[in-house]
Amino acid sequence: MIFAMGVLPMVLLVLGFPIFIVLLSGATLALVLHMNVPLTAIQQNLFGSLNSPGLLAVPYFIFAGELMSRGTVSQRLVDFVGSMVGRVPGSLGVTTVGTATMFGAISGSSAASVASVGKVMQPAMTRDGYPAAFSAGMITSVSAIGIVIPPSIPMIVYGASAEASIPRLYAAGVVPGLILAAALAVYIMIRARAGGFGSGASLSLRRFAQAGLRAAWALGAPVIVLGGIYGGVFSPTEAAAVACAYALFVTRFVYRELGWRDILDAAIGTVFFTAQVLIIIAVAGLFSWILTVNQVPQALVSWIAAQEMTAWQFLLLVNIVLLVVGCFMDPLSAILLLTPLLIPIVEAFGIDKVHFGIVMTLNLAIGLFTPPFGINIFVAQSVLKMRTPDIYRGVLPFFWIFVAVLLLITYLPSITLWGMELFLF
């Protein structure tokens, strides 16, 4: 059983097999060799893992993000944020942070934010004298806010896996996301002042009004979606469907940037990406079922109890493990694989599942821009046309800022819980 569920998956992962093959191979081998159950259990658990209403929101949010990431939405957001920043050190960098945060609130995708924001901001920062590695590291890392700020696809998957409230997760993610954005902006201003680069145009009420009008329809997406969820108008799944309709209306009939062929291409891209997500969810459900049937989570709880570990020590251990896991696995795969193992321990320590979900999401957001397999790095390499070692060097200071905020959020749960109470009025 240890070989089937532990050694074999690790070997296949190192060899570069897709994560669903890794999990399916280990689960099937364990089922055939070590469990006296019919093989029909494989199909039953694969399909049963997808039988969650919350997962219906995933393709809707992906499609909405696909639509909004095309055209001039990112440029409109950049102009709007830039009109509010004014003449401060590192104004373009601060604008990048604000735009990535807003774009994350529209698309819920970190990779889409890297591509869309990077195309607009990298040339502007180069002209303004920003070091290439610094600007590339900034774009690559700050875009990870996209999965912390709601609507977040990893939060939907975590909520379905941990049986946690998705609206509560969304509400709890707002304040940590804003704290993270503020910390990044402060660092950029300090770094820009020390380097003597990057001060933008003076504040202008006329410029702000013009940029606000141009971006008004784009800014309406998170307002409608999150306002509807927090106000109790509709569920997260219904909100995702509303986001699709709104994105289609804005991009096709208001901005008139997408033709029906472009919309079809976005739909095709959504189908492929949704299939990749759902097959991982299905196989991870089978893998988790085998672990649960063989009482692996219970054994872990007993082992933790035998170590006389406190809650803060457990959270520190989890942070270290998740930071390492995030270097090798994408957030969705890591959430699906580890949540069934960790939730029983979390409950045993009396840790709030919503708070733990934010900690887990922030951990795995860091993994999006850490080597060797951070997806943001590969997207940035393609979009920015830069060498991977230069991007690695650029993300390092931002990594430490993310870790500092992670520790703050981990050990001050009142931050997330206060945000949850604030927005779920």
Side-chain angles (χ1 to χ4, degrees), residues 194-217:
F197 55 82
S199 66
S202 300
L203 288 173
S204 167
L205 182 59
R206 180 180 179 182
R207 178 169 170 251
F208 171 74
Q210 290 175 341
L213 286 174
R214 290 189 72 244
W217 284 99

Side-chain angles (χ1 to χ4, degrees), residues 208-259:
F208 171 74
Q210 290 175 341
L213 286 174
R214 290 189 72 244
W217 284 99
L219 294 171
V223 172
I224 292 174
V225 171
L226 300 181
I229 294 174
Y230 299 152
V233 179
F234 34 65
S235 69
T237 302
E238 293 166 341
V242 170
C244 276
Y246 183 84
L248 180 62
F249 174 74
V250 170
T251 54
R252 178 67 182 89
F253 297 106
V254 178
Y255 293 157
R256 298 182 180 180
E257 296 170 339
L258 300 186

Side-chain angles (χ1 to χ4, degrees), residues 2 55 79 81 233 288 303 351 369:
I2 293 176
L55 294 178
D79 294 341
V81 175
V233 179
S288 299
W303 182 82
I351 300 170
F369 61 90

Side-chain angles (χ1 to χ4, degrees), residues 10-376:
M10 286 301 300
V11 171
L12 294 177
L13 192 63
V14 170
L15 291 176
F17 282 80
I19 187 65
F20 78 92
I21 294 293
V22 171
L23 298 178
L24 183 60
S25 299
T28 303
L29 187 63
L31 199 65
V32 170
L33 299 182
H34 303 287
M35 299 179 65
N36 187 25
V37 296
L39 291 181
T40 53
I42 295 177
Q43 295 95 314
Q44 290 172 352
N45 279 279
L46 287 176
F47 286 97
S49 301
L50 301 177
N51 188 24
S52 172
L55 294 178
L56 287 173
V58 173
Y60 287 132
F61 277 129
I62 292 174
F63 185 47
E66 281 279 339
L67 292 172
M68 297 296 279
S69 64
R70 299 164 186 252
T72 63
V73 170
S74 54
Q75 181 65 63
R76 293 170 188 267
L77 292 176
V78 166
D79 294 341
F80 176 68
V81 175
S83 70
M84 295 187 293
V85 172
R87 191 178 293 276
V88 300
S91 60
L92 285 178
V94 176
T95 299
T96 301
V97 174
T99 305
T101 303
M102 287 189 176
F103 200 88
I106 291 174
S107 69
S109 170
S110 178
S113 181
V114 173
S116 300
V117 177
K119 289 177 183 177
V120 177
M121 297 306 302
Q122 177 71 359
M125 286 192 283
T126 300
R127 290 192 299 268
D128 210 27
Y130 284 70
F134 175 70
S135 59
M138 181 200 312
I139 293 169
T140 304
S141 56
V142 302
S143 296
I145 299 177
I147 71 167
V148 181
I149 290 286
S152 165
I153 294 173
M155 285 186 189
I156 295 174
V157 175
Y158 171 84
S161 184
E163 297 182 358
S165 166
I166 295 174
R168 289 166 67 88
L169 284 165
Y170 277 4
V174 175
V175 174
L178 295 178
I179 291 175
L180 183 57
L184 291 166
V186 169
Y187 168 73
I188 290 168
M189 287 189 288
I190 295 172
R191 175 74 172 81
R193 182 182 292 275
F197 55 82
S199 66
S202 300
L203 288 173
S204 167
L205 182 59
R206 180 180 179 182
R207 178 169 170 251
F208 171 74
Q210 290 175 341
L213 286 174
R214 290 189 72 244
W217 284 99
L219 294 171
V223 172
I224 292 174
V225 171
L226 300 181
I229 294 174
Y230 299 152
V233 179
F234 34 65
S235 69
T237 302
E238 293 166 341
V242 170
C244 276
Y246 183 84
L248 180 62
F249 174 74
V250 170
T251 54
R252 178 67 182 89
F253 297 106
V254 178
Y255 293 157
R256 298 182 180 180
E257 296 170 339
L258 300 186
W260 293 114
R261 178 64 191 178
D262 300 312
I263 294 171
L264 179 61
D265 290 340
I268 292 172
T270 299
V271 169
F272 279 105
F273 186 54
T274 301
Q276 294 172 15
V277 172
L278 293 185
I279 194 171
I280 294 173
I281 292 175
V283 176
L286 172 64
F287 196 87
S288 299
W289 174 77
I290 292 177
L291 291 176
T292 303
V293 167
N294 287 278
Q295 298 187 326
V296 174
Q298 294 89 330
L300 277 176
V301 172
S302 300
W303 182 82
I304 293 289
Q307 308 306 309
E308 298 183 352
M309 191 177 293
T310 62
W312 77 265
Q313 290 172 327
F314 166 71
L315 287 171
L316 179 61
L317 177 63
V318 166
N319 280 336
I320 294 172
V321 170
L322 289 175
L323 287 174
V324 173
V325 168
C327 294
F328 299 95
M329 296 179 67
D330 66 275
L332 297 183
S333 301
I335 287 171
L336 290 164
L337 182 61
L338 296 177
T339 299
L341 291 175
L342 295 175
I343 286 300
I345 308 174
V346 167
E347 292 176 331
F349 277 114
I351 300 170
D352 189 275
K353 286 196 296 185
V354 172
H355 171 241
F356 184 76
I358 303 302
V359 171
M360 194 172 197
T361 302
L362 184 51
N363 264 293
L364 297 173
I366 297 173
L368 290 170
F369 61 90
T370 50
F373 299 125
I375 185 63
N376 283 12

